[in-house]
Amino acid sequence: MAKRIQFSRHGGPEVLEYLDYQPAAPGPHEVRVQNRAIGLNFIDTYYRSGLYPPPALPSGLGTEGAGIVEAVGAQVEQFQVGDRVAYATGPLGAYSELHVLPASKLVKLPEAIGFEQAAAVMLKGLTVQYLLRQTFALQGGETILFHAAAGGVGSFACQWAKALGVKLIGTVSSPQKAARAMEQGAWACIDYSRENVAQRVLELTDGQKCPVVYDGVGKDTWETSLDCVAPRGLLVSFGNASGAVTGVNLGILAQKGSLYVTRPTLAGYADTPQRLQAMADELFAMITSGRLKVEIGSRHALQDAAQAQTALSARQTTGSTILLP
């Protein structure tokens, strides 16, 4: 038997249950991982609330963690018992002491990267990798806008953009978060509680706007984001922290300058074991070289997952939050 967090109905953090369960034996192409650290992310709240429906209820939660391979399926060749591994793309159930998942979802974890560090960086770091290096392949010299620049993904984006020679303008909700984003490498910050974001972007770019805007907030920032994209530029809508973007009129893209919009996901980029490992290798290289620093803002016991999600949703967290089995 092992412990895990599950939910039997959708709702707020109060629906999360800390229960005993019997982990399955790994199937032919699966691996069972003894988690040493588990990542907590906004996407977890989407599954809990029902914004993203899980395959079935009751359901486990979480897609990110790091630990030791405890058992392998009969046809798994790339991993063996005792290997250090990390994962970020599911399936649901990472909020657990033991997690069974396809071997194709795992990456090998270098000795130089700790379990807590990996659990804090995998999902957010791989997200930044595909956003900055693939969705819009930044070359250096661009001025970009990135919403929620002091959050978990935003903090990594600030650092990675600076390493690429990119000027990142970050939006934040307070002077304290502005200071944090600047420390992480942002070129400039806009406090949306006090300033008009679109107007400040015009001022900061000498009226040129940004070739790409990264928006993980969703509903509340959608129209503002469109106003910040340069003609023929790209709006990357990659999250729903404030709710999903709905009712989009494609004509607005024409009116605002023949704009492009994409709604990417990590799973859409890390869609083969080879691509996933290559992305992870670049991420790990950024960390070991010192260009990307992983800050764990808070640690919670696994049984306190509801409390951790409450803090995350209330934007009371900075850096990454991890759960410890």
Side-chain angles (χ1 to χ4, degrees), residues 101-152:
L101 66 166
S104 61
K105 301 293 187 181
L106 292 172
V107 299
K108 292 189 175 180
L109 187 62
E111 290 290 341
I113 308 292
F115 294 118
E116 292 190 5
Q117 197 176 31
V121 77
M122 280 292 290
L123 185 61
K124 301 175 186 70
L126 290 175
T127 296
V128 172
Q129 194 281 337
Y130 84 73
L131 289 174
L132 304 192
R133 304 286 287 146
Q134 298 187 69
T135 304
F136 189 102
L138 294 166
Q139 302 300 309
E142 299 96 341
T143 301
I144 68 174
L145 181 68
F146 204 103
H147 287 293

Side-chain angles (χ1 to χ4, degrees), residues 7-12 15-16 41-57 59-63 88-93 95 123 265 267 309:
F7 60 104
S8 300
R9 58 188 174 90
H10 295 298
V15 305
L16 299 182
N41 299 281
F42 254 109
I43 194 171
D44 304 341
T45 70
Y46 302 163
Y47 282 108
R48 186 206 69 215
S49 69
L51 178 63
Y52 291 177
L57 292 175
S59 173
L61 192 59
T63 61
T89 57
L92 293 177
Y95 285 24
L123 185 61
T265 64
Q309 286 197 359

